[in-house]
């Protein structure tokens, strides 16, 4: 694990299983202008680029006992020069892609996390699957095992499926805390919830486990009012002052990153050693759908990472570099005379090491349409997308400290930043602590407009 602390909230690209196995169970078939090992951005010796942070899920790496023992860029990393956050596999279990066999499944996930991750999620059952009906079988099983979900529902006013999520997560927490290997990984206590009531009930149920940090799932990624309410609870209970790490699952927008850094800076006033991070699989998922990052916009009109479909804009006869293609696709939108007197600046085109090394024709290897890309093409686009995302967040972070007027971001972001700072630190004008809960409720609209990935 890296010893130095980042000044900013850290983006953790959530590595796909296919990409993690490059150079191990997965090899690139194509001849490349660089060694295949350069695609491993976790390796400081990569000739393309090195990025020392990532998330990898036990739900992908440990689908079976055999899969859990396979080597990957994560298992073979230099642990002194990288930091990996491990997800627990709860999402895959609830989706049914991993069979849940109680303690046996808990143990497989736990052992993988102990052996591979620096910080790890506890094995939660996400509330996001309730509306899809994914918890019904688990609720039935828990009833049969003697857990009275009806009584829990009557006590907290929430559905039996919600209480099945919570009950199974508590059972998994008990297993993890009892059987963890001392000093192997730091555990993040996961908080689920689709609304304020669910979030509060979940926090109150899990807060006594005394783990090393916290992870926020469910609607916390898009509801900063809910996130702030839990952070206030943690501070009141003394947990925020001692936490090592906070992670927010499933979000990678530039707007959210800006506000996560705002939260991090506030918490460091009373906990200087804490770190905050966030993740999505967007660079990998987009590439799997033949999408690639063309650039990003960071200005007062918007903050956004932009993508295009390679089959729509690429060609087997196009001998431009991928970077040149990205530059050609970036343009200023037309001026609205009723809103802007002058055109807004064009977005910044994506510029990556692999984008300079390969041509569009290296990616579009066949006929037009989706068949013009193969599995190797996807791996190349994944590498490009990861660095493009990392570069976009770096540009956002640079402006966080170097632009005191903060006019490089939209007004709604500046408003949300001031609300967060006032909530956690008090008013800069009066130097008084505000009444936090009513203030959050009053400002909820301005805090909760940054939804979705």
């Amino acid at each position: 694990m890296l010893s130095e602390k980042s000044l900013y909230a850290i983006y953790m690209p959530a590595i796909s299983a296919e990409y993690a196995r490059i150079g191990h169970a997965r090899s690139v078939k194509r001849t490349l202008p660089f060694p295949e090992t350069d695609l491993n951005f976790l390796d400081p010796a990569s000739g393309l680029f090195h990025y020392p942070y990532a998330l990898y899920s036990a739900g992908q790496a440990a689908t079976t006992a055999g899969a859990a023992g396979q080597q990957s860029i994560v298992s073979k990393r230099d642990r002194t020069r990288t930091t990996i956050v491990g997800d627990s596999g709860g999402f895959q279990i609830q989706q049914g892609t991993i069979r849940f066999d109680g303690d046996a499944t808990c143990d497989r996930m736990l052992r993988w996390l102990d052996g591979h991750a620096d910080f790890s999620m506890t094995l939660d059952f996400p509330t996001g699957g309730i509306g899809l009906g994914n918890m019904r079988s688990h609720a039935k099983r828990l009833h049969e095992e003697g857990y009275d979900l009806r009584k829990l529902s009557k006590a907290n006013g929430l559905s039996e499926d919600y209480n099945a999520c919570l009950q199974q997560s508590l059972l998994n927490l008990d297993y993890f805390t009892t059987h963890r290997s001392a000093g192997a990984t730091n555990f993040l206590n996961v908080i689920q919830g689709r609304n304020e009531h669910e979030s509060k009930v979940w926090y109150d149920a899990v807060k006594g486990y005394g783990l090393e940090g916290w992870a926020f799932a469910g609607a916390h990624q898009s509801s900063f009012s809910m996130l702030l309410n839990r952070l206030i609870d943690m501070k009141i209970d003394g947990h925020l002052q001692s936490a090592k790490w906070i992670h927010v699952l499933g979000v990678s927008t530039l707007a959210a990153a800006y506000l996560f850094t705002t939260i991090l800076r506030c918490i460091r006033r009373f906990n200087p050693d804490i770190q905050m991070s966030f993740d999505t699989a967007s660079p990998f998922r987009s590439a799997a759908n033949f999408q690639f990052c063309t650039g990003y916009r960071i200005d007062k009109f918007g903050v956004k990472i932009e993508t295009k479909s390679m089959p729509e804009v690429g060609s087997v006869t196009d001998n431009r570099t991928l970077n040149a293609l990205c530059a050609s696709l970036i343009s200023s939108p037309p001026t609205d005379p009723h809103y802007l007197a002058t055109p807004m600046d064009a977005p910044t085109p994506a510029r990556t090491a692999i984008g300079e090394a390969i041509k569009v024709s290296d990616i579009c290897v066949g006929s037009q349409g989706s068949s013009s890309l193969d599995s190797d093409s996807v791996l190349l686009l994944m590498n490009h997308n990861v660095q493009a995302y990392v570069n976009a967040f770096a540009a956002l972070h640079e402006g966080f400290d170097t632009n005191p007027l903060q006019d490089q971001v939209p007004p709604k972001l500046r408003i949300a930043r001031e609300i967060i700072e006032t909530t956690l630190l008090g008013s800069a004008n009066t130097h008084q602590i505000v009444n936090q809960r009513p203030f959050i409720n009053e400002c909820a609209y301005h805090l909760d407009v940054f939804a979705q990935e």
Side-chain angles (χ1 to χ4, degrees), residues 258 298-303 399-400 402-411 414 417:
Y258 183 85
I298 301 174
D299 57 32
K300 59 186 176 182
F301 303 111
V303 285
F400 194 94
T402 60
N403 189 332
L405 297 178
Q406 298 297 295
D407 55 5
Q408 89 283 10
V409 297
R414 282 180 275 162
R417 174 178 176 173

Side-chain angles (χ1 to χ4, degrees), residues 18 22 25-32 36 39 374-377 379-380:
E18 182 184 24
I22 291 176
R26 171 71 164 90
S27 294
V28 177
K29 305 176 185 66
R30 188 175 312 168
T31 300
L32 301 173
E36 177 185 77
L39 293 172
D374 62 11
S375 59
D376 285 352
S377 304
L379 294 178
L380 299 179

Side-chain angles (χ1 to χ4, degrees), residues 20-21 24-25 67-76:
R21 292 170 183 145
H24 300 284
Q70 290 182 353
Q71 292 186 345
S72 67
I73 64 174
V74 173
S75 67
K76 302 300 289 184

